[in-house]
């Protein structure tokens, strides 16, 4: 078991100055452009470790659900359980009992704020996501990891030797089954009809166990296909009134209206806009990057783990004006949540890159410099990427030079011409 503070993350003010940690409800907030979002209570520079079930964070303005929130400055939050200001500080017995009561009677073995989140993401996690957070994952090469408050807790992991192994295996089986159902929607001459088989090979390589272990009992063994190093590159060569297939890659406008003007993807409606790249990568460990131009009071950035048929995934953004911050957000069924929010003093326009790996560790980069990290494993098994644009009034975010790829190279490469085949 290890804890350390990573270097090169100077965007994390709470590494030295953390003032308050609380267990509290998420807050549904209506932003100035009348768009709703789940945020840490009171907003501001904060990080929210999400303890909600999938139905809770997928519902706009419904029952809020719980999180552990980290703030730079102390604040009064009605109904919150005060966890002090030290991630590793032992909690009084009375506080621990109150935490267990608020968590519905779940027994917490550890006695620090970090322990609470670790246990909720591991031995108390729900593989379905129906009654709590899904389990964070790990592999033989990627340890079980928690990024929280600019610090990292990790444990060496083996799927057959670690107590968390059965949940990681069960979660992988569920993701494989979902990808298989999606793959069968495509004709045999479309490379996406074998996405689940490449994903199965990726699981084999990451865990060093037979691929058959990841096939649920009710599904047949269809073999595998070599995990490919899939890459998609987009320069938006065709100006058009709707972002679609007439570009380097095929796109779907999932939320809002996005046009290509001057060979740049530009948001055309106020509020949230998302676009999905229809290149299916081989793994849900991948990255996406794009050049971002936000002007004033707008934001934009890449998306990862984008669902094939829903407005669901994660996105990393930065902007200017009222959007002068770095954010890691997630959206599920169109319901947006701010997971991590840090002040941005570097500027609104740069190359934005977002990576998510086998430990469900998220990292956002501004012009190649790491700015923000987080852990969230509630959205997995999605092998598409895309981008997000936020507009406020007449201010429009813009995106150009988009690239998406699997994080690690595989034994084969899918040619771009095949990767964009619609079939």
């Amino acid at each position: 078991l290890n804890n350390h503070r990573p270097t090169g993350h100077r965007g994390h003010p709470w590494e030295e100055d953390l003032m308050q940690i609380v267990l509290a409800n998420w807050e549904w907030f209506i932003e100035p452009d009348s768009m709703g979002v789940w945020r840490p209570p009171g907003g501001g520079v904060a990080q929210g470790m999400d303890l909600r079930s999938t139905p809770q964070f997928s519902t706009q303005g419904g029952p809020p659900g719980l999180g552990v929130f980290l703030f730079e400055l102390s604040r009064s939050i009605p109904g919150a359980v005060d966890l002090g200001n030290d991630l590793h500080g032992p909690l009084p017995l009375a506080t621990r009992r109150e935490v267990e009561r608020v968590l519905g009677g779940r027994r917490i073995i550890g006695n620090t704020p970090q322990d609470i989140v670790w246990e909720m993401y591991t031995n108390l996690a729900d593989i379905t996501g129906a009654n709590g957070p899904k389990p964070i994952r790990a592999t033989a090469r990627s340890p079980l990891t928690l990024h929280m408050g600019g610090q990292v807790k990790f444990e060496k992991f083996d799927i057959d030797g670690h107590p968390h192994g059965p949940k990681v295996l069960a979660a992988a089986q569920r993701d494989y089954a979902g990808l298989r159902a999606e793959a069968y929607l495509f004709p045999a001459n479309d490379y996406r009809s074998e996405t689940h088989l490449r994903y199965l090979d990726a699981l084999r390589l990451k865990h060093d166990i037979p691929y058959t272990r990841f096939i649920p009992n009710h599904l047949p063994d269809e073999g595998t296909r070599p995990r490919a190093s899939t890459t998609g590159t987009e320069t938006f060569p065709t100006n058009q009134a709707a972002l679609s297939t007439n570009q380097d890659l095929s796109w779907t406008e999932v939320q809002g209206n996005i046009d290509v003007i001057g060979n740049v993807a530009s948001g055309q409606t106020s509020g949230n806009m998302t676009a999905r790249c229809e290149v299916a990568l081989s793994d849900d460990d991948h990255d996406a990057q794009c050049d971002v131009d936000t002007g004033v009071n707008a934001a934009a950035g890449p998306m990862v783990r984008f669902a094939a048929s829903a407005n669901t995934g994660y996105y990393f953004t930065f902007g200017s004006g009222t959007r002068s911050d770095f954010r890691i957000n997630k959206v599920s069924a169109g319901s947006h949540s701010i997971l991590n929010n840090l002040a941005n003093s570097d500027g609104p326009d740069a190359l934005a890159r977002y990576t998510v790996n086998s430990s469900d560790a998220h990292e956002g980069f501004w012009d190649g410099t790491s700015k923000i990290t987080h852990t969230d494993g509630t959205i997995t098994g999605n092998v598409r990427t895309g981008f997000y644009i936020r507009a406020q009034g007449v201010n429009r975010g813009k995106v150009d030079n988009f690239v998406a790829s699997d994080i690690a190279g595989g034994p084969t490469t899918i040619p771009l011409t095949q990767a964009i085949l619609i079939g």
Side-chain angles (χ1 to χ4, degrees):
L1 176 64
N2 296 275
N3 285 281
H4 74 92
R5 294 183 177 188
T7 58
H9 292 258
R10 297 178 60 191
H12 296 290
W14 47 62
E15 286 185 6
E16 303 295 339
D17 303 318
L18 181 63
M19 294 296 295
Q20 187 177 28
I21 310 169
V22 299
L23 173 66
N25 282 321
W26 289 80
E27 176 182 76
W28 182 251
F29 178 70
I30 304 300
E31 299 195 291
D33 49 18
S34 299
M35 299 295 291
V37 64
W38 289 109
R39 70 175 189 178
V45 177
Q47 181 178 15
M49 309 306 298
D50 201 351
L51 307 184
R52 293 175 294 178
S53 68
T54 300
Q56 286 175 321
F57 65 72
S58 301
T59 303
Q60 302 181 43
L66 293 165
V68 171
F69 301 97
L70 288 66
F71 296 97
E72 272 192 279
L73 302 175
S74 296
R75 61 182 67 187
S76 177
I77 302 172
V81 181
D82 187 357
L83 303 180
N85 61 1
D86 183 356
L87 285 172
H88 314 294
L91 298 172
L93 179 60
T95 301
R96 292 174 57 192
R97 294 294 176 261
E98 179 64 9
V99 167
E100 292 174 345
R101 184 191 68 79
V102 172
L103 292 175
R106 295 180 176 93
R107 176 73 182 277
I108 299 296
I109 299 174
N111 66 347
T112 72
Q114 189 183 66
D115 290 339
I116 293 171
V117 176
W118 182 268
E119 291 184 44
M120 290 297 293
Y121 284 178
T122 54
N123 62 303
L124 296 177
D126 176 9
I127 62 169
T128 69
N131 299 298
K134 292 170 62 178
I136 55 173
R137 302 172 305 165
T139 72
R141 297 170 178 80
S142 182
L144 196 62
T145 305
L146 176 66
H147 288 258
M148 182 178 178
Q151 302 180 33
V152 183
K153 175 177 179 174
F154 59 89
E155 288 183 1
K156 187 176 180 180
F157 180 81
D158 172 62
I159 200 166
D160 287 324
H162 194 283
H164 191 55
K167 287 192 175 181
V168 172
L169 179 62
Q173 290 176 343
R174 289 178 63 88
D175 287 340
Y176 169 75
L179 280 172
R180 182 179 182 273
E182 173 192 317
Y184 270 75
L185 298 176
F186 296 97
N189 65 334
D190 189 315
Y191 86 106
R192 289 171 294 186
S193 67
E194 296 182 338
T195 297
H196 61 306
L197 303 181
R198 292 191 296 274
Y199 187 70
L200 203 57
D201 193 50
L203 291 171
R204 174 188 67 84
L205 292 169
K206 287 187 288 189
H207 291 279
D208 291 332
I209 62 176
Y211 74 87
T212 51
R213 296 275 303 279
F214 300 102
I215 302 174
N217 291 333
H218 67 283
L219 293 178
D221 179 0
E222 300 171 317
T224 66
R225 298 294 181 271
R227 179 199 186 279
S229 180
T230 320
T231 300
T233 301
E234 178 63 78
T235 62
F236 303 106
T238 305
N239 292 328
Q240 60 182 142
L243 183 63
S244 61
T245 60
N246 298 321
Q247 304 296 330
D248 296 324
L249 307 173
S250 297
W251 293 87
T252 299
E253 291 184 358
V254 180
Q255 182 176 9
N257 180 26
I258 301 170
D259 295 351
V260 179
I261 302 173
N263 305 115
V264 174
S266 176
Q268 299 300 304
T269 50
S270 183
N272 299 313
M273 288 160 277
T274 60
R276 180 174 57 241
C277 177
E278 297 299 352
V279 171
L281 301 178
S282 295
D283 204 346
D284 60 357
D285 306 337
H286 52 238
D287 62 33
Q289 68 178 41
C290 55
D291 289 327
V292 169
D293 178 1
T294 63
V296 178
N297 297 334
M303 291 188 67
V304 298
R305 293 187 180 171
F306 208 143
S309 58
N311 192 17
T312 296
Y314 298 98
Y315 54 96
F316 163 64
T317 68
F318 50 81
S320 64
T322 59
R323 305 293 173 193
S324 293
D325 56 14
F326 296 106
R327 289 187 182 185
I328 289 179
N329 286 28
K330 68 180 171 186
V331 54
S332 180
S335 177
H336 296 256
S337 298
I338 302 171
L339 300 179
N340 206 342
N341 178 20
L342 295 172
N344 170 20
S345 59
D346 293 286
D349 305 326
L351 175 65
R353 180 176 174 234
Y354 189 6
T355 69
V356 59
N357 69 17
S358 300
S359 297
D360 295 318
H362 301 246
E363 190 163 13
F365 297 82
W366 181 93
D367 263 357
T369 300
S370 176
K371 292 297 180 180
I372 190 168
T373 61
H374 197 76
T375 292
D376 191 281
T378 53
I379 297 173
T380 60
N382 297 333
V383 295
R384 285 169 175 74
T385 59
F387 62 85
Y388 167 93
I389 291 176
R390 179 79 183 204
Q392 185 170 320
V394 298
N395 304 298
R396 301 284 184 256
K398 299 177 182 178
V399 165
D400 198 7
N401 300 318
F402 175 88
V403 180
S405 62
D406 293 296
I407 284 180
T412 62
T413 299
I414 295 179
L416 183 60
T417 52
Q418 183 180 359
I420 63 173
L421 179 65
I422 299 301

